[in-house]
Amino acid sequence: MKIASILVSTLAISGLAPAQAPSVHAERLKQAALVLEEVMAVKDKAIPQDLMDKAHCALIVPGLKKGAFVLGGQFGRGFVSCRKAGGAGWSAPAPVRVEGGSVGFQIGGSETDVVMLIMNSRGADRLIKSSKFAVGGEASAAAGPVGRTSSAETDATMRAEILTYSRSRGMFAGVSLKGSTVRADSDAIGDLYGNNKMKNEQIVYGDVPAPAAAAKLIANLNKYSSRLSK
């Protein structure tokens, strides 16, 4: 104990401080960046580039936890980033919680990565500004196609405001997340932005600087789609 006290005192005197471990929310930001990178790396199974280019926002939940097989509830924490004004570049990521619904039997596994693309400004506004947003309720949602192009789109997919994807045990596929809800994660907002009263609307549509831990996620979003396509 004396040695530890002496070490802390020495660091304080020298102006140095013991290194602090990254918060769980900062680590989750890095995981979200990795999910997007891994998903887009396999071109024949990735999100079609033309859909990625048309998306107004992207929501990524690394490791959404599954409560029970097939009909179980879901719980996960992730981040949503939207195109900046003018369509070039991506906003600071707003922390969200995803709850309820089921990813269905075709996914399996206890944890699932989730990606949602919000395809128009109306869907983006509903997601960002709502205190509790229902996937498939307040905005139409459909399982997103995968592959090099979106030529496999159905009429339902073409009309959908949200395209949803999941990955578990290496399998990545479009999947219905109808019944899930999305809301702001105030704990993560407080940790990453220093004010848990801040709204996601302020983060995404305002000029809020992104936390350092978000650098890789924003870089990857720009890497895979730097400008909104009309």
Side-chain angles (χ1 to χ4, degrees):
M1 292 295 292
K2 289 183 178 180
I3 295 175
S5 298
I6 293 172
L7 178 59
V8 171
S9 298
T10 302
L11 288 171
I13 292 171
S14 62
L16 299 175
Q20 292 184 341
S23 73
V24 294
H25 305 296
E27 285 298 317
R28 192 175 295 112
L29 269 170
K30 296 176 183 178
Q31 291 169 14
L34 183 60
V35 167
L36 181 62
E37 187 173 325
E38 291 177 348
V39 161
M40 297 301 290
V42 185
K43 292 301 182 184
D44 59 339
K45 298 290 185 181
I47 296 170
Q49 187 64 53
D50 53 344
L51 293 182
M52 191 72 189
D53 289 342
K54 292 175 182 176
H56 284 243
C57 304
L59 191 161
I60 303 169
V61 182
L64 181 139
K65 294 180 172 28
K66 190 173 186 180
F69 189 67
V70 183
L71 298 178
Q74 313 296 328
F75 172 78
R77 297 172 115 159
F79 304 91
V80 59
S81 178
C82 297
R83 306 276 185 177
K84 291 184 176 180
W90 294 81
S91 71
V96 295
R97 298 162 66 99
V98 178
E99 300 165 335
S102 176
V103 295
F105 72 90
Q106 69 269 41
I107 294 299
S110 59
E111 288 194 353
T112 303
D113 300 321
V114 170
V115 179
M116 300 185 200
L117 298 184
I118 295 80
M119 303 306 296
N120 57 36
S121 57
R122 183 175 64 176
D125 282 348
R126 288 175 176 175
L127 173 65
I128 299 301
K129 296 179 180 180
S130 175
S131 60
K132 191 173 183 180
F133 176 86
V135 178
E138 297 172 56
S140 59
V146 298
R148 294 181 182 275
T149 69
S150 58
S151 58
E153 291 177 352
T154 65
D155 289 342
T157 301
M158 293 290 288
R159 293 193 303 267
E161 291 181 296
I162 300 177
L163 299 178
T164 55
Y165 298 87
S166 293
R167 182 184 70 162
S168 183
R169 296 178 180 174
M171 183 174 71
F172 181 71
V175 67
S176 175
L177 293 173
K178 188 174 181 179
S180 298
T181 59
V182 181
R183 61 188 176 90
D185 187 346
S186 58
D187 290 341
I189 291 173
D191 179 71
L192 295 170
Y193 293 96
N195 179 5
N196 64 3
K197 301 297 184 183
M198 184 180 291
K199 304 294 184 183
N200 279 349
E201 182 179 354
Q202 295 173 269
I203 296 172
V204 171
Y205 293 149
D207 194 22
V208 176
K216 184 64 173 177
L217 176 57
I218 294 174
N220 280 348
L221 286 166
N222 281 310
K223 174 183 177 181
Y224 297 115
S225 183
S226 61
R227 182 177 291 274
L228 180 66
S229 173
K230 301 298 184 182

